[in-house]
């Protein structure tokens, strides 16, 4: 007797997946998910383009743009410098699409179950951390791509092809020391796993690759002063930066986090998941120190969320209707969270008002002018106005080293008396103050810094759609 649908006996698919439409999606994973990725990337870019807003978002993007423009190179600034400014906005979505294609190739090499690949990639695409990479330059997303390309080449059966894996692996070590440590950990885990399955088999090339990564980890740190962790490029908030529904810059959906907890519970003490368990505490500790590592944490959360989702799907339910309702609500929650995030992305800095006002500063103020603003605006100030910001969170490999003047900056904006404010501005050589709409919404209006701007020593010299440029007249 013939099966009810043509996908019922497809290899690599669990018998739990009997719905013909779901099976069709799983069989055609590449086609549908690649289309979904391109569609979302197009919509995100189109929204910003129609609104006449800068197509690249986030402080990290402009940190690399400025660094590339001024000859401070690392893995990403070297890539940025190869392209014209007019097409730079295309690089992030193209890197995302290329990452997806390589991910599919890698899952084929690893012979992962088709349903796992489908839901893992689907959840990954819908994760705000990955969505943010459509419109921003991210060193960690580039690192992810380089590592995948490296392992894809490493898994090749021809020795002549495997040797090329050293190229992406080497480039990846110039991101930061923590990322290089993760790469080394993955190489060693793969080496140990391979030897445990075939004790008599020696893989000299894999050992060489891991040895080279270890050497570069030490060499890059002490010779090139590669940072331990990149960033941060915005104010760090542990929970909002983790859960996108709380208004973070990227992060993970609360529904994805719930599924990940379920995945952790059902895989506890299972040997095949030891690798993920070994990396999880390391990445969590790194995240607590620097929320910029949310990209790595998101990958692990999506992995466990996929496992949790499949375990729930494959188990027997007494009420089939309840099972369908549960999965419908979970998927609906993830999709709704994603759509809400995509809508919010158009409001991320910089806005068109930031670009216009900061460009005005470049054309109408002295070259040596020092600009006071929030530290998260520093990267836009440096790129658009080509002026020195008074304070910024991170400046390694762009001519500085580490965050600068954060305490002083906080003290200035919390001043309530001119006797306290004026000496701080004069002693630190601040002549230009940049206030955008985001700062107006967060600073108190009745007293404090905004109220003190009414003093005659301050003069409003430019304004555009809520963004203001003020001059401070010294004694």
């Amino acid at each position: 007797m013939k099966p009810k649908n043509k996908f019922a006996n497809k290899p690599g698919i669990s018998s739990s997946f009997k719905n013909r439409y779901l099976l069709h999606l799983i069989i055609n994973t590449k086609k549908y998910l690649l289309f979904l990725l391109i569609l979302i990337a197009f919509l995100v870019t189109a929204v910003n383009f129609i609104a006449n807003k800068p197509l690249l978002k986030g402080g990290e993007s402009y940190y690399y743009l400025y660094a590339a423009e001024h000859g401070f190179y690392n893995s990403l600034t070297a890539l940025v410098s190869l392209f014209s400014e007019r097409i730079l906005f295309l690089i992030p979505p193209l890197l995302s699409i290329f990452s997806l294609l390589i991910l599919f190739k890698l899952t084929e090499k690893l012979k992962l179950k088709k349903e796992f690949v489908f839901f893992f990639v689907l959840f990954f695409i819908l994760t705000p951390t990955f969505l943010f990479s459509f419109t921003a330059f991210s060193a960690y997303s580039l690192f992810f791509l380089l590592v995948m390309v490296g392992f894809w080449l490493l898994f090749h059966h021809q020795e002549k092809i495997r040797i090329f894996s050293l190229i992406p692996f080497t480039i990846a070590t110039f991101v930061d020391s923590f990322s290089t440590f993760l790469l080394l950990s993955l190489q060693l885990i793969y080496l140990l796993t391979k030897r445990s399955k075939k004790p008599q088999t020696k893989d000299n090339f894999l050992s060489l690759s891991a040895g080279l990564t270890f050497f570069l980890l030490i060499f890059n740190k002490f010779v090139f002063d590669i940072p331990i962790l990149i960033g941060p490029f915005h104010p760090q908030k542990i929970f909002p930066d983790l859960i996108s529904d709380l208004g973070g810059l990227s992060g993970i959906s609360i529904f994805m986090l719930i599924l990940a907890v379920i995945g952790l519970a059902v895989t506890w003490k299972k040997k095949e998941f030891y690798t993920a368990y070994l990396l999880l505490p390391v990445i969590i500790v790194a995240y607590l120190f620097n929320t910029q590592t949310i990209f790595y944490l998101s990958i692990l959360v999506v992995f466990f969320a996929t496992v949790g989702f499949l375990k729930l799907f494959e188990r027997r339910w007494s009420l089939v209707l309840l099972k369908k309702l549960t999965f419908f609500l979970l998927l609906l929650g993830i999709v709704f969270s994603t759509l809400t995030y995509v809508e919010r992305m158009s409001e991320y800095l910089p806005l068109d008002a930031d670009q216009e006002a900061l460009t005005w500063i470049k054309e109408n103020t002295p070259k040596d002018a020092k600009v006071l603003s929030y530290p998260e605006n520093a990267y836009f100030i440096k790129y658009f106005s080509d002026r020195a910001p008074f304070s910024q969170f991170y400046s390694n490999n762009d001519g500085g080293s580490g965050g600068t003047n954060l305490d002083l900056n906080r003290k200035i904006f919390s001043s309530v008396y001119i006797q306290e404010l004026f000496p701080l501005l004069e002693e630190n050589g601040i002549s230009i103050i940049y206030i955008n709409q985001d700062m107006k919404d967060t600073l108190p209006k009745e007293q404090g810094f905004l109220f003190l701007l009414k003093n005659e020593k301050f003069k409003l010299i430019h304004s555009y759609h809520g963004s203001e440029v003020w001059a401070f007249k010294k004694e």
Side-chain angles (χ1 to χ4, degrees):
M1 188 174 179
K2 292 183 178 180
K4 291 183 179 180
N5 66 70
K6 62 180 179 179
F7 305 116
N9 295 322
K10 284 282 184 180
I13 301 179
S14 171
S15 58
S16 303
F17 294 89
K18 297 176 182 178
N19 183 284
R20 62 181 301 179
Y21 301 108
L22 181 56
L23 279 168
H24 177 76
L25 290 174
I26 293 173
I27 295 298
N28 296 280
T29 292
K30 291 182 185 178
K31 180 169 62 177
Y32 286 111
L33 293 187
L34 187 60
F35 173 76
L36 176 64
L37 178 69
I38 294 172
L39 177 64
I40 296 176
F42 173 78
L43 288 174
V44 169
T45 305
V47 167
N48 288 321
F49 181 79
I50 292 171
N52 197 31
K53 296 175 181 177
L55 299 180
L56 285 170
K57 295 294 181 180
E60 187 177 5
S61 297
Y62 292 89
Y63 163 80
Y64 292 121
L65 289 174
Y66 176 83
E69 201 173 70
H70 289 76
F72 305 111
Y73 290 109
N74 59 24
S75 299
L76 198 48
T77 55
L79 175 66
V80 169
S81 63
L82 296 175
F83 296 90
S84 166
E85 187 176 345
R86 293 182 179 180
I87 63 170
L88 282 174
F89 74 94
L90 293 173
I91 297 177
L94 287 176
L95 288 178
S96 300
I97 293 168
F98 191 46
S99 294
L100 188 64
L101 293 173
I102 296 297
L103 183 59
F104 283 134
K105 293 287 185 182
L106 195 57
T107 56
E108 289 174 3
K109 293 282 186 182
L110 295 172
K111 298 180 180 179
L112 298 178
K113 289 185 177 180
K114 294 183 184 299
E115 63 266 27
F116 178 86
V117 174
F118 174 78
F119 285 106
F120 176 81
V121 177
L122 175 64
F123 291 162
F124 192 41
I125 290 174
L126 297 178
T127 301
T129 302
F130 187 70
L131 289 172
F132 187 68
S133 69
F134 293 161
T135 58
F137 289 119
S138 168
Y140 289 152
S141 60
L142 176 63
F143 174 83
F144 175 70
L145 173 60
L146 290 168
V147 170
M148 285 198 302
V149 172
F151 275 106
W152 174 55
L153 294 170
L154 188 64
F155 292 157
H156 203 277
H157 62 278
Q158 291 186 21
E159 200 71 26
K160 292 180 180 179
I161 301 297
R162 296 182 72 199
I163 194 71
F164 286 104
S165 66
L166 294 178
I167 297 175
F169 283 154
T170 299
I171 298 173
T173 63
F174 287 90
V175 171
D176 65 23
S177 298
F178 177 72
S179 300
T180 307
F181 172 76
L182 286 182
L183 171 58
L184 178 62
S185 301
L186 291 173
Q187 290 172 331
L188 291 175
I189 289 169
Y190 176 58
L191 180 62
L192 294 173
T193 303
K194 197 170 182 180
R195 286 185 178 177
S196 66
K197 291 180 179 179
K198 297 179 181 179
Q200 304 301 321
T201 303
K202 290 185 178 182
D203 194 329
N204 295 326
F205 183 78
L206 183 54
S207 300
L208 171 66
S209 181
L212 177 63
T213 301
F214 177 74
F215 169 77
L216 290 171
L217 172 64
I218 306 299
F219 182 82
N220 289 346
K221 178 59 186 172
F222 290 100
V223 176
F224 294 109
D225 192 28
I226 297 294
I228 296 175
L229 288 166
I230 289 177
F233 299 94
H234 67 280
Q236 296 190 84
K237 298 176 182 178
I238 298 296
F239 290 108
D241 285 348
L242 174 64
I243 303 172
S244 61
D245 305 271
L246 298 178
L249 187 66
S250 59
I252 306 156
S253 161
I254 186 66
F255 294 95
M256 202 78 75
L257 204 57
I258 292 170
L259 284 173
V261 172
I262 296 171
L264 280 166
V266 299
T267 59
W268 188 248
K269 294 183 179 180
K270 291 188 177 182
K271 290 183 178 179
E272 61 267 33
F273 296 100
Y274 278 0
T275 300
Y277 278 114
L278 286 171
L279 293 176
L280 186 59
V282 176
I283 293 176
I284 288 177
V285 170
Y287 175 78
L288 294 175
F289 276 100
N290 189 337
T291 60
Q292 197 74 15
T293 55
I294 185 63
F295 191 91
Y296 299 143
L297 186 56
S298 295
I299 295 172
L300 275 181
V301 168
V302 170
F303 171 79
F304 283 113
T306 305
V307 173
F309 184 84
L310 292 176
K311 289 294 181 182
L312 283 175
F313 197 93
E314 291 170 356
R315 68 173 297 179
R316 291 187 177 183
W317 290 60
S318 300
L319 296 173
V320 178
L321 182 61
L322 179 61
K323 177 181 179 180
K324 290 181 179 179
L325 182 62
T326 300
F327 286 100
F328 175 75
L329 290 175
L330 281 171
L331 291 173
L332 186 65
I334 292 171
V335 171
F336 178 77
S337 180
T338 300
L339 292 175
T340 303
Y341 178 77
V342 169
E343 182 182 10
R344 198 169 75 233
M345 282 180 72
S346 63
E347 299 304 317
Y348 286 162
L349 300 179
L351 302 178
D352 58 325
D354 295 294
Q355 183 175 2
E356 197 279 342
L358 292 173
T359 302
W360 185 93
I361 291 176
K362 181 178 182 178
E363 296 170 350
N364 296 276
T365 63
K367 185 74 174 175
D368 60 350
K370 188 178 292 184
V371 182
L372 173 70
S373 189
Y374 274 0
E376 56 264 39
N377 294 330
Y379 314 101
F380 314 135
I381 292 169
K382 294 173 86 167
Y383 182 71
F384 289 119
S385 72
D386 198 24
R387 299 293 181 267
F390 173 66
S391 178
Q392 62 188 80
F393 288 115
Y394 180 78
S395 62
N396 198 74
N397 291 339
D398 74 340
S401 57
T404 58
N405 296 330
L406 295 178
D407 291 334
L408 269 174
N409 197 82
R410 197 177 298 112
K411 190 175 181 180
I412 288 172
F413 281 109
S414 61
S415 298
V416 292
Y417 301 107
I418 57 174
Q419 294 88 346
E420 179 186 6
L421 176 62
F422 288 173
L424 289 172
L425 298 179
E426 291 172 357
E427 290 168 9
N428 291 283
I430 295 168
S431 57
I432 300 294
I433 301 164
Y434 176 64
I435 306 288
N436 61 10
Q437 189 60 51
D438 182 62
M439 295 175 67
K440 290 180 182 179
D441 294 337
T442 55
L443 287 169
K445 296 177 178 60
E446 300 302 323
Q447 61 176 356
F449 190 83
L450 291 182
F451 180 77
L452 296 179
L453 286 177
K454 297 177 181 179
N455 187 277
E456 59 183 12
K457 274 199 170 187
F458 296 107
K459 182 181 179 181
L460 179 63
I461 55 177
H462 184 71
S463 178
Y464 182 80
H465 291 186
S467 288
E468 297 175 352
V469 182
W470 291 77
F472 172 66
K473 189 189 301 180
K474 301 178 183 179
E475 290 290 354

